[in-house]
Amino acid sequence: MNIKRSIVTRVRLAFLAICLFAFAIIYKVGVIQFKDGDRWREIANEKRFHYQPIYATRGNIYSDDDRIMATSLPFYRVAFDPSIPKEDVFNKGIDSLGMMLSRFYGDHSEAYYVRKIKNARREKRKYVRLNGRMINYQDKKMMAQWPIFRAGKNKGGVIFEKIDRRFLPFGSLARRTIGFINEDKKGAGLEFSFNRHLAGKDGEALYERMAGGNKPINDGTEVKPMPGFDIQTTIDINLQDVAESALRRVLTENDAHHGCVILMEVSTGEIKAIANLGKHGPGLYLEDYNYAVGNQGRTEPGSTFKLASMMALLEETDLKLTDTIDTGNGSKRIAGAVKTDTHGYGKITLQQVFEKSSNVGVSDLIQTHFGDNPQKYVDYLHKFGLHQPLGFQMNGEAIPVIKSPKDRSWSRPSLSTMAIGYELKISPLQTLAFYNAVANNGVKVQPIIVKSIKRADQELEKFEAKVLNPKICSDETLAELRAMMEGVVENGTGKNVRSKDYKVAGKTGTARKFMNGQYTRKYSTSFVGYFPADRPKYSCIVIIDNPQKYAQYGGDVAAPVFRELADKAYAQDLAIHTPMARRKPGVMPKLPSLHAGSQEEITLLCNKLGISAHPLNPEEDWIRVDTQKHSVALKPVPVKMGQVPDVTDMTLRDAIYLLENNGLKVRVAGLGRVESQSIPPGAPLQKGAVITITLKRNGKPTRPAEVLPANAIARAY
């Protein structure tokens, strides 16, 4: 009995607890619904409606002649508010709309789109995305005329969500230089380096969260975005095209790992072309990294660095280019390390040391004159600005590595090794800037690739190359360095860039690559120089890394790219062409041999030949020609009744015609024109009389005179 009572008590207590819990829930629902309803509805609205950014249209990137290299094009996603169209408009156009959507997107049937829209309308949904694929502006204009949609946004319910996409009109041309920027605001190239100018300022608008997406609410609180500024680069599209095509061809021919080329204006520092290509498969090269500027392109330059060594040597000593040094048989131990040349040159001048790119010669000279104080050599490199970056406009510029005697890695051979471009690292752009200073009368300028920030035609900010060093060395040294570089092209390792139309000055480079703790048989080949050498307008550097075929030297691998780009730059820049010597006026051509004859025929002949003829008596049938400087005067030869006519200087045909028409019998002696006649002009005419005319060619008898009757002459003709 006690057990039964205990169970009933427990059941009652449990039932009571459940009832109390149920009443508590009902109470809480009531409180939420009635007492706190407004607050919770406000919170719900806050969560349902939210402000979302409207991204600004990104600015354009232009070439130096205002051609668009990168721009933003509008694309759209198509959404629909099925609750907006009126019943008659909806029912009348839904089938046609479904058919058009099906045909346009080609992914679902007409019935699918009709069912999708009708279900959304039945469920009173206010937003449904019809398809995830983006359309262009022309497609948007076409869709806006479709059934239901043609009623517009407020009556037809169509929603075109704008999304900008970056477009490069020239395809892959200068793609790496143009660069990119991703959603995390990370990137490369101009897009990343000038993002604060290009990006503009985003706006915002109110959106409603709905199933399938967010629907914009146009309540007048929208903040319009401010489009980004445009940037104008220094890139010449034509030269950029040549640079990339020439580089790609040479990389492919030599199966190289990567390569780069930079073309720069000497005085302004403006980069007119910059190409970077890396290998991505057999014969496939893409712009994957900025080797010309960044850390991956920073390498031991090899022989192109010998210009800096010779500059330091000439600045420090009184050596002349005609002074000699014994390089031996092509191998010499210098400061504990063996330096070698490709050939044994023996005793050669400093000019020849540079022209032949003698490692022995340069190393020995630097060791001899700086061996007691290596820091002085390093100080010269610092003076030339080779130890610090250029402050280039694009992010990611490599920092040069120039060793010092204070460094732990410095060893006894370091000085002579650095002299020929090893145990230091420098980027191609930094090497080019140094050579450009020599071409620019010793003024070292900062390379630039963007020259202005614009909005439409209004220039907001202008960039000019900064002077990094107003005088990199003395004028005497500059003159000797230029002579050496011209000698490289005329007589040395750079003959492959020699041109008959203009002079080139430069230096080849072939550096062994340091890998896994040792120098390998893989090479980085290069050529750097400027042109025209007598009045420099452009400087250029070409790097071909690790060529795999038979050609392994800078003069054979890199030089052809330099030559092709230089030829194009020279051809299109008429200002740097050498004026052609003015031709001396030649002797005026002689007028045709005209003497005497029919005025009509001679006048016709003069007109055909463009000779000015001035008849003194246009009515006269027969004339004699008076040859003047640029024209002929036609003097009349009167034929008087009863007198023998004057036929001297006439052709045989005209003489026979005139004499026989006056009743004379003609005999002929010789060939040519009439020199004389047996009956003098003006003598009384006796019909049937015989007259002998003597002919000569150019005043000389053509053969012994032979008298022939006129009719025989006629038959001969």
Side-chain angles (χ1 to χ4, degrees):
M1 189 66 182
N2 291 333
I3 294 174
K4 181 179 179 181
R5 184 180 300 167
S6 176
I7 293 173
V8 171
T9 302
R10 291 177 183 178
V11 170
R12 288 175 177 173
L13 290 172
F15 178 75
L16 181 61
I18 292 172
C19 289
L20 290 173
F21 184 72
F23 280 120
I25 292 175
I26 294 171
Y27 175 76
K28 188 63 175 177
V29 169
V31 170
I32 292 173
Q33 183 70 27
F34 299 105
K35 182 179 178 182
D36 299 332
D38 293 339
R39 183 170 69 89
W40 286 112
R41 277 188 287 273
E42 183 179 348
I43 293 173
N45 286 334
E46 290 178 359
K47 296 293 183 181
R48 180 181 171 189
F49 296 95
H50 68 287
Y51 281 95
Q52 185 172 313
I54 302 175
Y55 297 107
T57 300
R58 199 167 178 82
N60 298 329
I61 298 177
Y62 291 95
S63 67
D64 65 340
D65 60 351
D66 291 323
R67 285 190 275 183
I68 295 177
M69 298 176 67
T71 188
S72 292
L73 295 182
F75 289 86
Y76 303 86
R77 287 196 183 99
V78 184
F80 185 52
D81 184 348
S83 66
I84 289 180
K86 294 182 178 180
E87 195 70 24
D88 58 336
V89 174
F90 183 85
N91 293 334
K92 183 179 178 180
I94 184 60
D95 292 334
S96 297
L97 179 61
M99 178 189 68
M100 290 181 170
L101 289 169
S102 176
R103 289 181 178 178
F104 180 81
Y105 289 113
D107 55 349
H108 296 292
S109 66
E110 171 187 342
Y112 169 84
Y113 282 104
V114 171
R115 184 170 60 253
K116 181 176 183 177
I117 296 173
K118 283 185 174 180
N119 289 341
R121 183 177 175 88
R122 188 181 306 112
E123 296 167 5
K124 297 184 179 180
R125 292 166 56 188
K126 294 186 177 182
Y127 180 90
V128 56
R129 184 172 291 169
L130 298 178
N131 194 289
R133 198 178 92 194
M134 290 189 292
I135 63 172
N136 60 32
Y137 180 73
Q138 296 301 323
D139 292 334
K140 171 183 176 289
K141 287 180 64 177
M142 177 185 68
M143 283 187 168
Q145 302 303 317
W146 286 2
I148 304 179
F149 289 0
R150 69 170 63 101
K153 180 178 180 180
N154 296 326
K155 294 183 179 180
V158 64
I159 302 170
F160 293 109
E161 299 174 340
K162 182 183 175 184
I163 300 172
D164 286 331
R165 287 289 180 266
R166 213 62 171 152
F167 175 69
L168 308 182
F170 291 98
S172 62
L173 194 69
R175 180 182 290 273
R176 182 67 191 191
T177 302
I178 295 170
F180 66 93
I181 188 166
N182 59 26
E183 295 179 355
D184 297 327
K185 304 301 180 184
K186 295 181 180 180
L190 295 172
E191 294 277 18
F192 178 68
S193 302
F194 285 83
N195 182 54
R196 68 184 183 91
H197 299 93
L198 293 167
K201 186 176 180 181
D202 294 339
E204 64 176 11
L206 187 64
Y207 282 77
E208 181 181 4
R209 285 193 176 92
M210 310 191 73
N214 298 327
K215 178 186 175 182
I217 305 298
N218 299 312
D219 61 349
T221 63
E222 302 89 356
V223 178
K224 293 184 177 180
M226 293 180 61
F229 299 126
D230 301 328
I231 65 173
Q232 184 170 28
T233 71
T234 61
I235 298 295
D236 183 308
I237 289 295
N238 296 325
L239 296 178
Q240 179 70 30
D241 187 26
V242 174
E244 289 192 19
S245 60
L247 181 63
R248 180 175 281 105
R249 189 190 68 256
V250 170
L251 289 171
T252 304
E253 290 174 353
N254 294 277
D255 193 24
H257 181 266
H258 70 261
C260 66
V261 55
I262 314 170
L263 180 72
M264 184 167 72
E265 278 192 353
V266 169
S267 60
T268 64
E270 293 185 0
I271 292 178
K272 311 310 292 183
I274 178 170
N276 299 275
L277 295 173
K279 188 175 183 180
H280 283 259
L284 178 62
Y285 289 89
L286 304 174
E287 287 218 338
D288 58 350
Y289 184 79
N290 197 341
Y291 299 101
V293 178
N295 285 323
Q296 289 189 34
R298 181 186 63 182
T299 60
E300 293 174 307
S303 294
T304 56
F305 197 78
K306 290 173 183 175
L307 183 70
S309 296
M310 297 303 289
M311 184 182 289
L313 185 70
L314 294 173
E315 286 286 275
E316 178 65 18
T317 70
D318 294 327
L319 290 172
K320 302 298 180 185
L321 299 187
T322 53
D323 293 339
T324 60
I325 182 173
D326 189 2
T327 62
N329 62 359
S331 178
K332 187 174 183 179
R333 181 173 290 275
I334 301 172
V338 176
K339 300 296 187 293
T340 59
D341 291 333
T342 55
H343 299 85
Y345 301 119
K347 194 172 184 178
I348 55 178
T349 65
L350 265 66
Q351 173 83 25
Q352 292 172 319
V353 165
F354 197 77
E355 289 177 355
K356 299 178 184 297
S357 196
S358 171
N359 293 328
V360 173
V362 175
S363 296
D364 199 1
L365 286 166
I366 294 298
Q367 186 65 38
T368 299
H369 294 279
F370 292 98
D372 294 337
N373 187 4
Q375 184 61 46
K376 183 175 287 188
Y377 172 78
V378 176
D379 289 342
Y380 272 112
L381 301 185
H382 285 203
K383 177 187 174 184
F384 305 153
L386 295 170
H387 67 299
Q388 58 188 6
L390 301 167
F392 191 49
Q393 291 172 310
M394 289 172 61
N395 288 23
E397 182 188 359
I399 299 176
V401 178
I402 303 293
K403 291 176 66 172
S404 167
K406 299 177 182 178
D407 295 337
R408 295 183 60 183
S409 60
W410 185 273
S411 61
R412 185 185 169 201
S414 291
L415 176 63
S416 59
T417 303
M418 288 176 62
I420 57 175
Y422 291 92
E423 292 194 32
L424 54 88
K425 289 186 177 182
I426 190 170
S427 74
L429 183 62
Q430 291 152 359
T431 300
L432 179 61
F434 176 66
Y435 273 75
N436 191 81
V438 176
N440 196 28
N441 295 318
V443 181
K444 187 175 182 181
V445 296
Q446 178 189 57
I448 64 170
I449 196 169
V450 172
K451 57 184 178 181
S452 65
I453 306 295
K454 304 190 303 182
R455 169 161 285 169
D457 294 331
Q458 182 183 4
E459 191 173 75
L460 305 177
E461 188 174 358
K462 186 175 182 179
F463 302 102
E464 292 182 353
K466 298 177 182 177
V467 175
L468 301 177
N469 190 333
K471 200 65 174 176
I472 199 168
C473 65
S474 66
D475 290 335
E476 293 78 8
T477 297
L478 283 174
E480 292 176 318
L481 293 175
R482 288 175 174 172
M484 286 193 295
M485 284 194 284
E486 290 179 31
V488 169
V489 176
E490 294 298 322
N491 310 307
T493 57
K495 292 181 180 179
N496 280 347
V497 300
R498 189 165 52 189
S499 171
K500 62 181 178 61
D501 298 316
Y502 56 92
K503 295 181 68 175
V504 177
K507 182 70 182 74
T508 59
T510 306
R512 296 176 65 178
K513 295 179 69 65
F514 189 79
M515 302 175 68
N516 300 323
Q518 60 182 355
Y519 285 98
T520 65
R521 289 292 177 182
K522 297 180 179 181
Y523 299 91
S524 175
T525 65
S526 58
F527 186 90
V528 56
Y530 55 86
F531 62 93
D534 49 350
R535 51 189 190 288
K537 177 64 180 293
Y538 298 102
S539 59
C540 181
I541 186 170
V542 180
I543 306 289
I544 306 294
D545 186 81
N546 194 20
Q548 300 292 316
K549 298 296 180 64
Y550 59 90
Q552 296 288 316
Y553 296 100
D556 299 322
V557 182
V561 180
F562 183 102
R563 172 64 188 277
E564 185 171 343
L565 184 55
D567 282 348
K568 175 64 177 179
Y570 182 82
Q572 77 171 34
D573 194 340
L574 299 180
I576 62 177
H577 286 203
T578 303
M580 296 180 66
R582 184 177 180 181
R583 293 181 179 178
K584 294 181 179 179
V587 178
M588 291 294 294
K590 293 182 178 180
L591 292 172
S593 179
L594 301 172
H595 297 274
S598 167
Q599 176 164 275
E600 181 182 357
E601 292 181 355
I602 291 178
T603 302
L604 178 63
L605 178 62
C606 289
N607 290 338
K608 291 290 185 182
L609 296 176
I611 299 170
S612 178
H614 306 288
L616 300 181
N617 185 359
E619 302 299 327
E620 195 68 48
D621 292 331
W622 301 92
I623 50 93
R624 190 176 306 282
V625 178
D626 180 17
T627 303
Q628 300 174 359
K629 188 173 182 181
H630 301 292
S631 63
V632 293
L634 308 181
K635 297 180 178 180
V637 179
V639 179
K640 296 181 181 180
M641 295 294 293
Q643 294 182 1
V644 175
D646 184 1
V647 295
T648 54
D649 289 331
M650 290 187 183
T651 63
L652 178 60
R653 187 192 66 172
D654 287 341
I656 291 174
Y657 176 84
L658 186 57
L659 293 172
E660 289 191 346
N661 277 352
N662 280 276
L664 297 171
K665 293 182 179 181
V666 182
R667 288 182 178 273
V668 180
L671 296 174
R673 289 182 177 273
V674 178
E675 182 189 41
S676 62
Q677 57 191 77
S678 59
I679 301 175
L685 180 65
Q686 296 180 4
K687 291 188 178 183
V690 177
I691 183 171
T692 301
I693 57 175
T694 304
L695 310 180
K696 286 188 178 181
R697 183 174 293 166
N698 296 329
K700 297 179 181 179
T702 57
R703 65 184 180 185
E706 179 181 358
V707 178
L708 296 173
N711 56 358
I713 298 294
R715 287 196 300 271
Y717 276 81

